């Protein structure tokens, strides 16, 4: 395999593609497992989120990210907006819900966001500052 | 009614092409928050649908394959979360406390402000999880009577607003710690805040990635709790 190092060989590309597909299959299985757990235990959570927690637990147990998972996760997360786009495009069909309610929608989105930023930043700043001052540790 | 194979191929291909174009515009304009590909891409698709007189449900059914990848991509969020957890273990107490308070504040403010101004139950539910990343926010909102596409719109507006507000707001608060800035932006403005913070510094980007993942989980857990308390 050393001679394929300088330029990508078709073989290496195929191996990566196979690993990518394996990774996607594993992620899909975890999502199905999450869906099953949600149905079985009547959890108020999305199945994919439970699948994510299962994967996180597995990664913590292994202490590393296996290559098929790393490849699939990287590829899917890089283009997650492509998968979401068809749902977002449906907004016109539901816009009547905002008829006469643009004010609460925009205030919630703009003012709510600004206040959340302020609360979060102020709290973390206080917590990290207090700790650094007390222990004398320097901030990273 | 299921769409024919020709429509499935045509609309899936059109979506990929439109997305590629939207991504190109985004990079060309230096990742401006107003031009996130999911928003510009969806706008182009809506224009295309109107132009071709194609009803949205036909398009939605034709692009089921793309939508079916949202689930695996959500599961994949465990990977960046794992990587960041390894790196940021030293400050986990501070981050956990901030996550609880900040995540709860995001939900309470989203629901409370809308309710006070007269929004109905469905709109309030659509807004509740809007600081979470889209694939988590949408199913959470739907469970409590929200509308996924309205949630998507709220998530996008929140993300754009957060990415634009974070810099001036934190400067006004005299906060210069990149860790604080990244965490606040990721918690509030999910992937759009993360995209913004990755351009600030690697430290801000790492904290934003962790905050986005953590708040996705926190929101999915806390919104049902809020509804139980209200019932």
């Amino acid at each position: 395999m050393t001679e394929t190092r300088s330029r990508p060989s078709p073989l290496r590309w195929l191996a990566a593609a196979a690993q990518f597909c394996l990774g996607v299959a594993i992620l899909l299985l975890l999502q199905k497992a999450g869906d099953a757990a949600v149905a079985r235990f009547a959890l108020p959570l999305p199945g994919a989120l439970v699948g994510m927690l299962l994967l996180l637990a597995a990664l913590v147990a292994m202490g590393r990210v296996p290559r098929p998972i790393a490849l699939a996760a990287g590829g899917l997360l890089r283009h997650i907006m492509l998968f979401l786009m068809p749902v977002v495009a449906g907004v016109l069909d539901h816009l009547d819900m905002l008829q006469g309610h643009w004010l609460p929608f925009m205030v919630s989105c703009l003012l709510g966001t600004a206040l959340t930023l302020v609360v979060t930043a102020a709290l973390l700043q206080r917590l990290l500052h207090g700790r650094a001052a007390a222990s004398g540790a320097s901030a990273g | 009614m299921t769409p024919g194979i020709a429509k499935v191929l045509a609309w899936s291909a059109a979506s990929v092409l439109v997305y590629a174009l939207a991504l190109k515009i985004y990079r060309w304009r230096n990742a401006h928050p107003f031009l996130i590909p999911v928003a510009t891409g969806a706008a182009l698709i809506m224009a295309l649908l109107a132009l071709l007189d194609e009803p949205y449900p036909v398009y939605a059914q034709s692009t089921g394959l793309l939508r079916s990848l949202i689930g695996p991509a959500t599961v994949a969020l465990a990977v960046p979360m794992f990587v960041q957890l390894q790196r940021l273990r030293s400050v986990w107490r501070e981050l956990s406390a901030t996550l609880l308070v900040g995540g709860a504040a995001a939900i309470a403010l989203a629901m409370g402000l809308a309710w006070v101004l007269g929004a109905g139950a469905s709109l309030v539910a659509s807004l509740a999880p809007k600081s979470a990343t889209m694939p988590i926010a949408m199913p959470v909102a739907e469970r409590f009577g929200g509308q996924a596409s309205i949630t998507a719109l709220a998530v996008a507006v929140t993300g754009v607003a957060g990415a634009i507000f974070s810099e001036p707001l934190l400067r006004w608060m005299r906060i210069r710690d990149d860790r604080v800035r990244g965490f606040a932006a990721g918690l509030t403005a999910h992937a759009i805040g993360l995209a913004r913070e990755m351009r600030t510094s690697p430290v801000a980007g790492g904290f934003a990635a962790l905050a986005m993942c953590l708040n996705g989980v926190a929101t999915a857990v806390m919104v049902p709790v809020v509804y139980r308390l209200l019932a």
Side-chain angles (χ1 to χ4, degrees):
Chain A
M1 279 303 227
T2 41
E3 77 275 15
T4 60
R5 236 189 160 148
S6 50
R7 58 192 158 148
S9 76
L11 205 69
R12 179 162 281 221
W13 189 88
L14 257 176
Q19 282 186 317
F20 177 85
C21 291
L22 175 66
V24 173
I26 294 171
L27 294 176
L28 248 167
L29 271 176
L30 281 164
Q31 189 216 329
K32 295 294 168 204
D35 286 339
V38 165
R40 173 72 182 74
F41 303 108
L43 300 173
L45 301 172
L49 188 96
V50 175
M52 174 192 138
L53 294 174
L54 290 174
L55 177 57
L56 184 66
L59 293 178
V60 169
M62 283 187 286
R64 66 186 184 88
V65 184
R67 196 166 139 78
I69 300 282
L71 281 174
L76 289 182
L77 285 177
R78 202 155 34 248
H79 297 296
I80 192 166
M81 287 191 181
L82 167 63
F83 317 139
L84 293 165
M85 205 178 68
V87 184
V88 180
V91 73
L92 281 186
D93 278 23
H94 303 289
L95 228 46
D96 54 323
M97 207 168 127
L98 294 179
Q99 202 82 66
H101 291 289
W102 279 103
L103 182 71
F105 179 86
M106 290 314 285
V107 170
S108 177
C109 285
L110 300 182
L111 185 59
T113 300
L115 291 175
T116 304
L117 270 171
V118 170
V119 167
T120 309
L123 177 61
L124 188 57
Q125 173 79 3
R126 169 154 291 204
L127 291 176
L128 288 175
H129 236 74
R131 192 182 121 107
S135 67
S138 65
Chain B
M1 176 201 76
T2 42
I5 185 81
K7 287 226 157 163
V8 170
L9 286 176
W11 280 120
S12 299
S15 300
V16 173
L17 288 176
V18 162
Y19 169 76
L21 179 66
L23 200 60
K24 191 148 263 181
I25 296 173
Y26 183 62
R27 286 182 181 150
W28 170 59
R29 294 305 300 161
N30 246 320
H32 192 283
F34 275 142
L35 295 172
I36 49 164
V38 69
T40 46
L44 287 170
I45 288 290
M46 288 189 280
L48 211 54
L49 291 177
L51 202 70
L52 299 174
D53 210 20
E54 181 85 296
Y56 172 73
V58 175
Y59 170 76
Q61 283 177 331
S62 306
T63 49
L65 183 68
L66 288 177
R67 258 201 332 277
S68 68
L69 288 171
I70 296 175
T74 309
V75 175
L77 279 172
V79 174
M81 198 170 170
F82 171 71
V83 172
Q84 295 305 329
L85 277 175
Q86 305 274 89
R87 284 181 47 206
L88 312 179
R89 210 177 265 169
S90 60
V91 284
W92 72 270
R93 267 174 231 271
E94 289 84 348
L95 297 185
S96 308
T98 308
L99 169 68
L100 282 181
V101 175
I107 297 167
L109 285 164
M111 296 178 74
L113 287 170
W115 179 73
V116 162
L117 292 170
S122 178
L123 181 54
V124 170
S126 304
L127 288 165
K130 71 184 179 55
S131 269
T133 185
M134 236 178 245
I136 293 176
M138 292 190 303
V140 168
E142 274 182 318
R143 174 175 289 267
F144 296 98
Q147 184 63 54
S149 62
I150 297 291
T151 301
L153 184 65
V155 170
V157 174
T158 296
V160 172
I164 290 174
F165 293 166
S166 69
E167 164 117 49
L169 267 181
L170 267 70
R171 201 188 310 127
W172 170 69
M173 292 168 74
R174 293 168 194 281
I175 292 175
R176 282 183 206 89
D177 191 336
D178 274 0
R179 300 175 299 171
V180 174
R181 182 183 163 158
F183 199 82
L187 185 146
T188 310
H190 48 88
I192 304 174
L194 166 61
R196 176 73 188 78
E197 291 313 312
M198 288 209 292
R199 310 178 84 77
T200 306
S201 75
V203 172
F207 274 77
L210 182 70
M212 178 190 87
C213 296
L214 288 175
N215 196 38
V217 179
T219 303
V221 172
M222 286 198 281
V223 169
V225 172
V226 168
Y227 271 93
R228 181 153 294 185
L229 290 177
L230 289 176

